[in-house]
Amino acid sequence: MDPDADFERLAERIRTHSTEASGSNTGRVTIHDLEDVSYESLRELLDALDEENVDPGACVFYLSSDNAERALEGLDADDVDALADRLGREVRVEGSMPDDTVLFLDPDAIEDGEVVDPGAVACGTVGDG
């Protein structure tokens, strides 16, 4: 994944990926509606990729700073490492990540802003998102 990725654009692309694939044999990303952002909802995304036979150990959570704060649930608001330890997966806070989306994916599933391995991507849409 490009370290300077535009996560707002990427999130929109991922959120519409399954619509674009409708009626075809094209792989689709896993999309879950999330009522909120919490440790439990992040576990849902982790478990969703585990069901897809993807190595979740290679995957990373991408959160907006507001969603990272919500997911910390009483932990120090700057302690993203504590959240990563609790989840057992890397957590990255990205400034361009929209608040209505949480991503859990293998960074190698994205090349030049395009989804190249949709089976290795889980997208959580938050609230009305």
Side-chain angles (χ1 to χ4, degrees):
M1 167 135 18
D2 178 5
D4 298 320
D6 178 349
F7 282 91
E8 190 166 330
R9 181 182 169 282
L10 178 61
E12 182 61 30
R13 195 149 189 83
I14 288 171
R15 290 174 68 155
T16 60
H17 195 273
S18 62
T19 302
E20 292 173 15
S22 181
S24 73
N25 291 331
T26 304
R28 298 179 183 160
V29 300
T30 299
I31 297 180
H32 279 265
D33 292 328
L34 306 175
E35 289 183 31
D36 60 11
V37 178
S38 63
Y39 169 78
E40 289 79 17
S41 63
L42 296 180
R43 289 292 315 177
E44 276 183 46
L45 290 180
L46 193 153
D47 292 343
L49 279 194
D50 194 30
E51 292 172 7
E52 293 293 322
N53 296 318
V54 173
D55 176 11
C59 297
V60 177
F61 283 99
Y62 293 90
L63 306 170
S64 69
S65 57
D66 286 347
N67 283 339
E69 198 171 303
R70 289 178 187 107
L72 286 167
E73 296 178 10
L75 298 173
D76 184 335
D78 294 324
D79 198 358
V80 175
D81 290 337
L83 179 60
D85 288 344
R86 191 170 176 205
L87 289 165
R89 303 295 180 269
E90 184 177 354
V91 176
R92 294 185 191 167
V93 177
E94 298 291 342
S96 65
M97 191 69 196
D99 288 335
D100 65 353
T101 306
V102 173
L103 297 177
F104 181 58
L105 55 85
D106 182 336
D108 292 339
I110 308 296
E111 289 181 10
D112 298 324
E114 300 296 324
V115 179
V116 295
D117 185 1
V121 177
C123 175
T125 58
V126 183
D128 295 333

